[in-house]
Amino acid sequence: MKYTERGAEEVKIAYIGGGSRGWAWGLMSDLAENADMFGDVYLYDIDYEAAQHNEIIGNKFNDLKESKSTWNYKAVKTIDEALTGADFVVVSILPGTFDEMESDVHTPEKYGIYQSVGDSTGPGGVIRALRTMPMMEEIALAVKKNCPKAWVINYTNPMALCVKAMYDAFPEIKAFGCCHEVFGAQAIIAAALLDFEGVEVRDRKDIKVDVIGVNHFTWITKAHYKNRDVFPLYAKYAEKYMDIGVQKKDDNWFNYVFDCSQRVKFDLYKKYGYFAAAGDRHLAEFCPGKWYLESPERVKEMGFGLTAVSWRKSDLQNRLARSKRLLSGEEQVKIENTGEDGVNQMRALLGLCPLISNINIPNVGQIRNLPLGAIVETNAIFVDDDVTPVFAGDLPQGVYSLVARNVDNQLLIARSHKEKDLKYAFEAFCADPLTTCNPADAKKLFDEMIDNTKHYLGRYFK
Amino acid sequence: MKYTERGAEEVKIAYIGGGSRGWAWGLMSDLAENADMFGDVYLYDIDYEAAQHNEIIGNKFNDLKESKSTWNYKAVKTIDEALTGADFVVVSILPGTFDEMESDVHTPEKYGIYQSVGDSTGPGGVIRALRTMPMMEEIALAVKKNCPKAWVINYTNPMALCVKAMYDAFPEIKAFGCCHEVFGAQAIIAAALLDFEGVEVRDRKDIKVDVIGVNHFTWITKAHYKNRDVFPLYAKYAEKYMDIGVQKKDDNWFNYVFDCSQRVKFDLYKKYGYFAAAGDRHLAEFCPGKWYLESPERVKEMGFGLTAVSWRKSDLQNRLARSKRLLSGEEQVKIENTGEDGVNQMRALLGLCPLISNINIPNVGQIRNLPLGAIVETNAIFVDDDVTPVFAGDLPQGVYSLVARNVDNQLLIARSHKEKDLKYAFEAFCADPLTTCNPADAKKLFDEMIDNTKHYLGRYFK
Amino acid sequence: MKYTERGAEEVKIAYIGGGSRGWAWGLMSDLAENADMFGDVYLYDIDYEAAQHNEIIGNKFNDLKESKSTWNYKAVKTIDEALTGADFVVVSILPGTFDEMESDVHTPEKYGIYQSVGDSTGPGGVIRALRTMPMMEEIALAVKKNCPKAWVINYTNPMALCVKAMYDAFPEIKAFGCCHEVFGAQAIIAAALLDFEGVEVRDRKDIKVDVIGVNHFTWITKAHYKNRDVFPLYAKYAEKYMDIGVQKKDDNWFNYVFDCSQRVKFDLYKKYGYFAAAGDRHLAEFCPGKWYLESPERVKEMGFGLTAVSWRKSDLQNRLARSKRLLSGEEQVKIENTGEDGVNQMRALLGLCPLISNINIPNVGQIRNLPLGAIVETNAIFVDDDVTPVFAGDLPQGVYSLVARNVDNQLLIARSHKEKDLKYAFEAFCADPLTTCNPADAKKLFDEMIDNTKHYLGRYFK
Amino acid sequence: MKYTERGAEEVKIAYIGGGSRGWAWGLMSDLAENADMFGDVYLYDIDYEAAQHNEIIGNKFNDLKESKSTWNYKAVKTIDEALTGADFVVVSILPGTFDEMESDVHTPEKYGIYQSVGDSTGPGGVIRALRTMPMMEEIALAVKKNCPKAWVINYTNPMALCVKAMYDAFPEIKAFGCCHEVFGAQAIIAAALLDFEGVEVRDRKDIKVDVIGVNHFTWITKAHYKNRDVFPLYAKYAEKYMDIGVQKKDDNWFNYVFDCSQRVKFDLYKKYGYFAAAGDRHLAEFCPGKWYLESPERVKEMGFGLTAVSWRKSDLQNRLARSKRLLSGEEQVKIENTGEDGVNQMRALLGLCPLISNINIPNVGQIRNLPLGAIVETNAIFVDDDVTPVFAGDLPQGVYSLVARNVDNQLLIARSHKEKDLKYAFEAFCADPLTTCNPADAKKLFDEMIDNTKHYLGRYFK
């Protein structure tokens, strides 16, 4: 790349994955919206045809008059081709197919274990990690070979173990995991300001929060807006809606907050006095199984949903149909801000804008009471070609051991990957707070889930 | 006290509690067995008659020709009288009566929660802590007033929170908690040496082990005997008996090992590769409820027992009956080594012998990955008027979060005590691994257990 | 204060000190230059007339057509009046007079000890700290009384001990120390870019550096510009100019870099491989006395200067004369950007702009291998009413003990202040790297310097 | 080796070095004095004749009727032969000859730098480390090859860097450094007890002290005797003799205390309130050069001595002459307890006795505020085949940075060894507190000292 008066040009982005379309189109839109970065996006997916379709759709953005920059999209057949000379690598893959995910999410239901997402933690998260880590290792080694100085932005779940696998494979990698779940927390504070004081917050980023924890189970202990501490407002809001939840009302920007009623996070606030900053579907999975996921009825009572894989399958069909319409021109591509930080992170790393945002990287001491080397989530500052975590201190009492439990499991699973031995992963599986069944059943369940997904687990059976 | 050629004379020991007899008689026997320490034992119990009985029984030891030292036992009516000028304070109280303990242990069974002991952790441990901490605070303040430089040895459970309450009330207190559970671990190694190599270990103390964890959930990562690392022998032993357990065979000194089949600890070895060093009845309570305490059948299968409070009540009757026989002379007092370290700890603190033993004191860094200030168990060196922990390092992967979870709860309960607010204790109650019921039931259970024991909980309702 | 469409209005700033004019006028100019903050500046100085003159001069800024905001300046007779309701407190005092400073800086010369500044460390810094800490304590207590939630920005030296005294007096104080010495480091990197690559850096802030150390002895281990790591360029520049130093050439914005030849920092780079980020006059004072301050000749050879207090006195006369001209209208006030971050820090704390800047606050773990509680300098993020340090990690080998030595002395001096006992300060005085004389002479020197400044040291002689 | 009723038999000890006789004969005497350990001592020295002489002398001990055990001494020509199958390895070598040591100790005098020992720190210690580390590396690699499970006891100086070199070469090595300097501290407390209270302490080991620091610069913060804290007695003693020093009076066991007047350690007590636990000749070298080593006059005033290498040379002649007499039978070997802990350490590691003693091993957290991996000195417990450090906590204020400075230099020198680059060692040389000259002179001095000893420094010039 090079700097010009317009900003940065000839930037090369490698996009790994994207066959499932959603994230890829969002990135295209976000790239088009910025006027100071230009270049090429190389698309690599194991489904080459999907990459080709994305190439065509991506290039259509250049024809929009609203587009502020031009990006040349190009599908390639090998990962090496995509990565050679890349400045940024975006990784957003589906590890396996939705059939494997169906096993991850639904097999445990036989034993009364319900999972609202099943991709980060819980029995499903463990199995998914086992099949994803080898893929991430492969990508990290390809980065090492083709573009060792590139920044790698991961969107794939399970976030922590994906990033861990990359650092374990190539310790010098400049990788981080990026997740929008915290943004909803800012929106909730904004909602509280509106509710109690009639204050309209212009942009969720105007609410400043600290972040401490692990991906999808991050916590906020401080929140500020303008010249004041607005954490007490959150407390008031949590108390007001604790029993009834927050209802969806309209369509303005912060509405994605209301995908759940927030009752799980309000209950966690009641317990610990801190603000759990992710969607309730995620939060619930990090707590003892009986708390929020005891049964579909309990889930409903708490105002969130179990995301069935059948829904994901049909949603994918919708996206494929939309892909067809976009390709044929029946539907036009459109610039719609995703609210994601990915493109801004790239811009900040090129020195085009300042940025403080939450990311997932190895713990080097930014969280004092978690093990060094575990992948944790805190704020970080992004500046020219550098990312440095903000000092987050200690996880507070009560919250500490919930997170420590997850991190300990994270390290056990990573050890299984490293030693090619399922033993440690099984211990993590048993120790997972969602595994409410007894050890004998846990063993049967684990074996069945492994068997269901064994096509991707060859590594462990050599 | 003063030093003479015989050793230490005019040593004053205050014994707080002891109405339930067992521990008091053991101490009397251990004191009589040593030839280098002499003095007075002041007996204080809220049941003055019990103290008087112990006075009479204690003084009978002086008449035994096997007694190597003379101790003057004296029942007193006030704690101040017992403590004034004391060199050592032994605390072994029953917090409340067995009726409260009955509630602690058995009320949770309504919700399918079985506890094998119910005095350290689990729902019963939480409630017991709430009523015991104020008593320990009172004792600590009396020590501060009457004998601030005395060493205080606690045997009362829940050990960690008892010691915590004393340090919170009087930070300069020279207190530690003492527990024999680790000794059984040495006996198991001895059994392994006998089993595999025919080696007869003379004394369990000849097996040297490190200790890291919290009381009743301590772990051993190194074991040595003479010039060798015998940890691998433990591994071999655990594997041999993992499925069948160890059967009680005879009556030699290390037989108290066999009170349980050790299957819980062998299973924990299989999981984590380390040696859980307490009786299985205790270990089971620190693990997720479904692992070893799912049902009475599971308990039986794993080869340990649920200690019913009815048994404790009848056992107390036996001790009271024995007390009567000892008083009347129908039965003679007898010197029987208890295997406890209490008297040796006193001797070491007076410079009469060297001693390294496991104790419970605040974490000042001896366990690196647990919070400072929590009460933890490690080895310590006892020398003239001083106790210093051995550096124990980090709890290992997997084990770490099980212990962290307990420690986090410890600190929450201590906060309830400090702030006179049951809220934090309830959060610990919910987060306890034995609390397998859902939050609504947990709340009902907590309220009922509090109500059952409310006579001792006035502090929280002011 | 309140928010309006223009930004923040009715902001109240209390300016404590400023009688020596320089900093006060700079602040006035910086305030005038921003269009989004408006309000009152209350001026308090022990010299009321000086405050009154500043009031008049400050208000003249409002008449400039270049002024983008209006500020009402008002001299007050009591510190309480200045502080009541303040949003920000700026502290920039001269502790004592230049006569005391003359003793600080020049008395040690009798023993061959030369100091280039004498206000931060070295014998002069120790004595200055002893008389300044009580003043800072007084200010902190006044803040506690009048405006406990105000942000306090300190410019007074010795920076670390001034901030320490404030936190020791009022632990909840929202205070930090602010220093521009790091900015010069950015200018040096800019100079290297120009020198080797002909690249003109627009603004020193475009060079992103990490910061770790203590005030006036901060270190940089990473430097980035746009999409690259420019630390290697610094290395090249240091090597090129190591023996000859950098000569002043012209008058563009980064010229204040060339006040010294940079040979001290290049030599420190050679030694340790890191970039010492303060003026050479400061850096030299933190190193063993023989390294750079052995004699005036050595100082000259290394290309920096000894700032004589006689120069400071005459410089003050110049400023007083200028004050007279500004008052009379003979000279016009003028907006000249100072390059300081103070006003931007206020704006960031009000949510008006993003800011990452280096500050001095207590170590809570942002520097892992220095004691907690010591005042250290690192980057921090400034957001709405909150400041959070960036995680800086460990001071690197070699540099570590030079800084640790200073920090240990910092804590000894603070202890003297706290315990009103000169003993610890004397130990710090002896252990200071500039104290090259023997202990007997050190004692004589210390006593003489204390005697010279005893008017301000009553606290220690009660 | 094997265990029998007598204790441990067929123990194999490899003695590396010993050509200078002193330590070797002491070990022979200590071995003979114990009745529970028997076996072989293989003697290896680069001077084979010296080893042969020691073989003959060693075997003469077996003929003494006072000998309680039999040891077969055998000189061997290769280190491999000595090490094969060894249970213990004792390392006590002279790195180079006294000619090199003459350069280490006396060359710096040209620049006014006096060293009282010159083998641990200071300019002499730096150069000595550079030539010793490669030898220790070689020994460690030979241990790895021949007896990786043997315990290695080092007596060679510079202690810290010798042990460091062994661990750097073979991280799994079971090595520690052993030093008697702390024992004198116990003797001083005994002297204080005698002085103030007429109490005769039977054995210096009856005084229990903690130990924290680095070899030859260890500190005591707690001291107990029987049931009391005797640290205050030390304080009283230090104050009494601070100005006059302690005079040698008679010849009882603790007289080696009085080799110096203790004024250095009393002065350090005055400064910091802690007890520096090594001989004054060592302590002085870790402090700024002007404190105690400014001149021979200052040394005399402080009551200690500069150990000239000429004295060492003539002392060696005495030992060689004695060797001749012992060989010829003109003089008889004699059992004289050395007071060293070496043989007891071996016995404790075989499980024959309990032992807590001070040793030098890598910091794993036993000293919290020093870098991990640096070689530090604290107490440790020795049990069957295992050594575990006692938790020593933080070095106290003031003392902290003196020790940190030395440790930082230790790590710099180790880096020079590792990277075969003298650069880092030179920086340590400059930063050493004894290097009171300016950098230009320091460079000349360093170069001259390197040149004087270059025969042993080939590693750095490849």
Side-chain angles (χ1 to χ4, degrees), chain B residues 181-239:
Chain B
E181 287 288 326
V182 169
F183 306 167
Q186 296 167 308
I188 290 175
I189 302 270
L193 274 159
L194 185 61
D195 192 341
F196 296 118
E197 308 192 354
V199 173
E200 298 231 19
V201 174
R202 200 178 42 84
D203 185 341
R204 60 108 191 144
K205 290 182 191 170
D206 291 344
I207 310 287
K208 303 301 194 315
V209 294
D210 68 338
V211 177
I212 182 166
V214 289
N215 185 245
H216 291 160
F217 200 52
T218 41
W219 293 77
I220 289 173
T221 59
K222 296 191 296 185
H224 290 88
Y225 176 62
K226 291 187 167 176
N227 67 331
R228 58 189 279 215
D229 173 4
V230 289
F231 198 88
L233 263 193
Y234 174 71
K236 199 172 156 190
Y237 193 73
E239 269 150 34

Side-chain angles (χ1 to χ4, degrees), chain D residues 221-383:
Chain D
T221 59
K222 297 191 295 184
H224 290 89
Y225 176 63
K226 289 186 167 177
N227 67 331
R228 57 189 281 215
D229 174 4
V230 289
F231 198 89
L233 263 192
Y234 174 71
K236 201 172 154 188
Y237 193 73
E239 268 149 33
K240 178 170 175 184
Y241 293 105
M242 194 164 285
D243 297 327
I244 56 176
V246 176
Q247 301 308 315
K248 185 163 187 165
K249 285 181 234 149
D250 53 53
D251 284 321
N252 79 16
W253 66 267
F254 54 77
N255 268 341
Y256 63 97
V257 183
F258 302 110
D259 288 342
C260 61
S261 77
Q262 318 295 352
R263 288 194 63 200
V264 170
K265 67 174 60 63
F266 295 159
D267 192 63
L268 287 169
Y269 167 75
K270 186 181 168 195
K271 277 184 182 302
Y272 300 114
Y274 302 102
F275 183 172
D280 285 11
R281 288 156 59 251
H282 286 300
L283 299 176
E285 294 187 337
F286 288 80
C287 297
K290 295 290 174 115
W291 287 12
Y292 309 115
L293 285 164
E294 188 182 22
S295 63
E297 295 68 36
R298 173 67 176 159
V299 169
K300 198 171 169 193
E301 178 195 354
M302 292 306 286
F304 65 105
L306 298 173
T307 311
V309 175
S310 55
W311 178 87
R312 290 191 189 268
K313 287 181 172 175
S314 74
D315 184 56
L316 175 60
Q317 291 312 316
N318 294 342
R319 267 177 288 133
L320 293 178
R322 191 175 169 217
S323 176
K324 204 172 280 182
R325 293 196 302 278
L326 291 170
L327 283 171
S328 68
E330 187 186 344
E331 180 180 335
Q332 297 304 313
V333 297
K334 199 163 67 172
I335 293 180
E336 291 168 305
N337 186 278
T338 61
E340 296 292 332
D341 259 355
V343 170
N344 285 336
Q345 287 166 344
M346 293 180 200
R347 293 174 61 237
L349 290 170
L350 293 174
L352 302 173
C353 68
L355 184 69
I356 295 166
S357 188
N358 56 301
I359 57 162
N360 293 274
I361 49 172
N363 189 25
V364 290
Q366 64 267 47
I367 301 184
R368 278 205 305 195
N369 57 353
L370 287 183
L372 298 181
I375 306 301
V376 298
E377 187 163 332
T378 66
N379 278 330
I381 55 175
F382 289 74
V383 296

Side-chain angles (χ1 to χ4, degrees), chain A residues 1 3 224 226-227 384 389, chain C residues 1 3 224 226-227 384 391:
Chain A
M1 56 79 54
Y3 289 96
H224 289 88
K226 290 188 168 178
N227 67 330
D384 318 2
Chain C
M1 55 80 55
Y3 290 95
H224 290 87
K226 290 187 169 177
N227 67 330
D384 318 2
F391 182 67

Side-chain angles (χ1 to χ4, degrees), chain A residues 141-152:
Chain A
L141 292 174
V143 165
K144 184 180 183 180
K145 177 181 158 202
N146 294 294
C147 53
K149 306 228 156 196
W151 283 96
V152 180

Side-chain angles (χ1 to χ4, degrees), chain B residues 93-108:
Chain B
I93 65 172
L94 177 67
T97 71
F98 283 143
D99 291 339
E100 279 75 33
M101 194 167 183
E102 185 142 28
S103 168
D104 295 346
V105 177
H106 299 295
T107 310

